[in-house]
Amino acid sequence: MRVLAALSGGVDSAVAAARAVEAGHEVVGVHMALSRQRAQSRSGSRGCCSIEDASDARWAAQILGIPFYVWDLSEEFEDLVVADFLAEYRAGRTPNPCVRCNERVKFDVLLSRALAMGFDAVATGHYARLEGGAAAGRPGDARGLELSRAADGAKDQSYVLAVSGRQGLARALFPLGDAPSKAAVRAEARARGLPVAAKPDSYDICFVADGDTRGFLSRSLGVREGAMVSPDGEVLGSHEGYFGFTVGQRKGLGLDRPAPDGRPRYVIETRPATNEVVVGPAELLSRSRVEGTGLVLLADPEGLDPTGTGGGPRGWRGTAVQVRAHGRAVPADVVVDERAATLVAELHEPLRGLAAGQSVVVYGGPGGDRVLAQATLA
């Protein structure tokens, strides 16, 4: 197959490209320049798309003996990821920009360009396992495609990939899906002579290079003084914008006095219409029912009609639901409405701190590692 390997300048994508070459594919490397204001170098493990990253990607491609290009996707990234991030916070939701980037840039814009240039598949350094589609030598064929957790659970990225769906993943290759650990990937990079073997991982939100998300939001959306209130409406303090807070947040609330019972307070809700942030005790954060919209199916739902006559609800029993990229998956029964593209999960144990805009991913199958569905928390 003709494979376009996305080279970020890090060790994971470099080893993934090396494995694609070793598998006998005709590989071309491409570095996506996503930032409009590219720094000379990254700040430790923060940030991305620096000139240093592009140079590291080019160097890796040279060692692998593959052609290399830099594609400027900064405009698409700004419109599809950064603008969406700001719009979601403005609406009082908590988005995951990595989910949007995978969906709208890496498996939409990048793949569309790759197909237009005659490539069969795109290879990335994501940690996840795929069966079917390009992984089985059938690029574009989504029949029977399965997305599962990576062998290395600590690095698994199936949560952020689920939104891409079967069609979006049918031309994807994840050569690191079976890697036992990040240490093993680094050791492989050293053995292959790749100079990025010891390069630090990037983390946090890539376009907030200093890690100060609240400051980024304030600079982008402006400062708007509002009230910090209790669930019964008592004004407890002030803040500089509801968008600087997320449900479940405990630190950085700026309150000058504790709750009457001495217990810590958490963000329970943000109210864009009134610019209020509601804080209260931890028990108000717990939810045993999760509802999601924008349903993406990666497996066919099962009939759940207990009478066996058919025509009842569809979904899965005895599955697990995960609402954060590296959060704990909890047992749940899930019902989906394919026509309305919605999902309802009844949790066997409550989850705390769920916020509208988060991605909810359903896992099941043997070992509980297969992705069944994804939706956005309402």
Side-chain angles (χ1 to χ4, degrees):
M1 290 188 297
R2 294 195 70 221
V3 173
L4 186 71
L7 292 172
S8 67
V11 63
D12 294 330
S13 61
V15 172
R19 289 188 173 192
V21 171
E22 194 170 65
H25 300 304
E26 180 186 346
V27 180
V28 173
V30 62
H31 177 75
M32 292 179 287
L34 302 179
S35 174
R36 289 178 173 175
Q37 297 178 333
R38 304 175 69 197
Q40 178 67 37
S41 61
R42 294 193 304 165
S43 176
S45 298
R46 297 187 185 275
C48 72
C49 308
S50 66
I51 296 174
E52 172 194 342
D53 290 327
S55 297
D56 287 343
R58 185 183 300 277
W59 194 1
Q62 183 175 350
I63 290 173
L64 296 176
I66 61 175
F68 175 79
Y69 300 93
V70 175
W71 287 359
D72 183 358
L73 300 182
S74 60
E75 184 174 344
E76 291 87 344
F77 184 77
E78 184 75 22
D79 292 342
L80 300 174
V81 179
V82 179
D84 174 81
F85 179 82
L86 294 173
E88 287 292 283
Y89 266 101
R90 188 181 289 112
R93 295 186 286 268
T94 303
N96 185 321
C98 294
V99 170
R100 289 291 170 262
C101 185
N102 281 305
E103 174 193 13
R104 299 176 179 179
V105 178
K106 294 176 182 175
F107 294 103
D108 188 352
V109 176
L110 180 66
L111 181 58
S112 295
R113 288 195 180 191
L115 293 177
M117 297 180 68
F119 288 95
D120 300 302
V122 170
T124 73
H126 286 98
Y127 285 78
R129 288 182 287 187
L130 275 176
E131 295 183 15
R138 305 192 308 272
D141 186 353
R143 293 173 297 177
L145 185 140
E146 295 184 6
L147 173 67
S148 301
R149 292 190 188 277
D152 181 5
K155 295 295 294 181
D156 173 58
Q157 292 173 294
S158 59
Y159 173 88
V160 297
L161 292 166
V163 70
S164 300
R166 284 182 282 197
Q167 288 294 337
L169 296 171
R171 293 185 181 273
L173 293 174
F174 302 140
L176 301 187
D178 62 353
S181 67
K182 183 59 176 274
V185 172
R186 291 192 183 280
E188 182 176 338
R190 286 193 294 271
R192 293 179 181 276
L194 294 168
V196 292
K199 189 172 182 177
D201 289 341
S202 59
Y203 60 90
D204 292 334
I205 300 172
C206 67
F207 52 85
V208 185
D210 61 2
D212 182 10
T213 302
R214 183 183 292 184
F216 174 79
L217 290 168
S218 295
R219 292 190 297 272
S220 302
L221 301 179
V223 173
R224 291 182 55 198
E225 186 171 350
M228 189 86 67
V229 301
S230 68
D232 59 7
E234 179 188 359
V235 177
L236 304 173
S238 63
H239 58 80
E240 295 185 344
Y242 65 90
F243 43 76
F245 300 85
T246 58
V247 173
Q249 180 177 333
R250 176 184 174 183
K251 297 182 178 179
L253 302 184
L255 297 176
D256 57 8
R257 64 182 189 276
D261 57 9
R263 292 189 297 168
R265 291 186 172 104
Y266 299 81
V267 175
I268 307 300
E269 177 189 1
T270 61
R271 297 172 176 169
T274 59
N275 193 24
E276 292 178 315
V277 176
V278 183
V279 297
E283 57 263 27
L284 295 182
L285 289 171
S286 295
R287 288 171 58 179
S288 296
R289 179 185 175 94
V290 169
E291 299 181 4
T293 60
L295 175 69
V296 176
L297 288 174
L298 288 101
D300 296 330
E302 304 165 358
L304 300 178
D305 183 1
T307 67
T309 60
R314 290 170 60 79
W316 304 274
R317 289 195 177 94
T319 61
V321 164
Q322 185 172 325
V323 296
R324 295 179 180 86
H326 297 289
R328 180 175 60 93
V330 301
D333 296 325
V334 177
V335 173
V336 300
D337 185 330
E338 296 169 73
R339 180 170 297 180
T342 58
L343 171 156
V344 177
E346 300 291 345
L347 309 180
H348 296 185
E349 55 186 83
L351 279 172
R352 284 175 48 179
L354 306 188
Q358 288 179 299
S359 181
V360 52
V361 177
V362 183
Y363 289 89
D369 287 338
R370 183 184 175 189
V371 176
L372 305 179
Q374 184 273 348
T376 301
L377 287 179

